[in-house]
Amino acid sequence: TGIGYRYLYDDLASHPAGYRRKSNYLYVPLGYRFDGSRQAGWSLGFSAEYDVFVFGNQRSHFSDVGLTDMDNHQNSGYGYRASVNLEYRSSDAVIVIEPFFRYWDIDRSETERAFWGSAYEPANETTEYGIQLFWLF
């Protein structure tokens, strides 16, 4: 457990009617990690985590399209992540191959007012998956 922070930067300013957006999330990760053997050779491990969303802020740079920038506050959502790691340990180095999955489900933000009207950040889901490779020496 601990405190987690996620920063996401979307840059669509080069598209017609596009703008930049910055997401900031504060969350509490609750998880478990099992690492295989500390002996030389191959071992298998895994991790699982549930992320309790505490607070989020979306900064939309509407000034990219001639309007006033806006901050939208988000108060609810959650995330989780999981991975499996295959590790090779020698006397000189450790190599880790780790397929992973990450998911966020963030609820709609509060509605904020601006001189041109009001806006909110819609509910959104983000899914990430991939493979990480670590070489520790």
Side-chain angles (χ1 to χ4, degrees):
T1 190
I3 297 291
Y5 172 75
R6 180 176 189 232
Y7 174 78
L8 179 63
Y9 177 69
D10 293 321
D11 187 356
L12 298 175
S14 62
H15 297 8
Y19 59 92
R20 294 168 293 134
R21 187 179 71 155
K22 297 174 185 171
S23 304
N24 295 275
Y25 299 161
L26 185 66
Y27 63 95
V28 176
L30 303 171
Y32 180 77
R33 181 167 185 92
F34 172 77
D35 289 321
S37 173
R38 294 291 177 198
Q39 306 291 330
W42 289 99
S43 65
L44 191 63
F46 67 90
S47 69
E49 179 180 302
Y50 180 78
D51 298 322
V52 179
F53 188 84
V54 176
F55 176 79
N57 184 67
Q58 299 286 332
R59 174 83 171 167
S60 298
H61 292 267
F62 291 132
S63 57
D64 293 340
V65 292
L67 300 172
T68 304
D69 292 346
M70 182 170 282
D71 286 300
N72 291 97
H73 303 289
Q74 295 172 295
N75 298 314
S76 59
Y78 65 91
Y80 56 85
R81 58 185 70 208
S83 66
V84 175
N85 63 312
L86 181 61
E87 181 177 298
Y88 179 76
R89 185 177 292 274
S90 72
S91 59
D92 298 328
V94 177
I95 296 174
V96 180
I97 302 167
E98 186 173 37
F100 67 88
F101 176 79
R102 298 178 188 133
Y103 176 79
W104 282 100
D105 186 345
I106 307 300
D107 296 333
R108 181 185 142 158
S109 75
E110 298 173 2
T111 301
E112 301 294 332
R113 299 188 134 281
F115 80 90
W116 47 267
S118 59
Y120 62 88
E121 182 69 25
N124 63 79
E125 297 179 26
T126 304
T127 302
E128 302 173 35
Y129 51 89
I131 297 176
Q132 301 179 115
L133 177 63
F134 301 96
W135 176 30
L136 310 168
F137 53 93

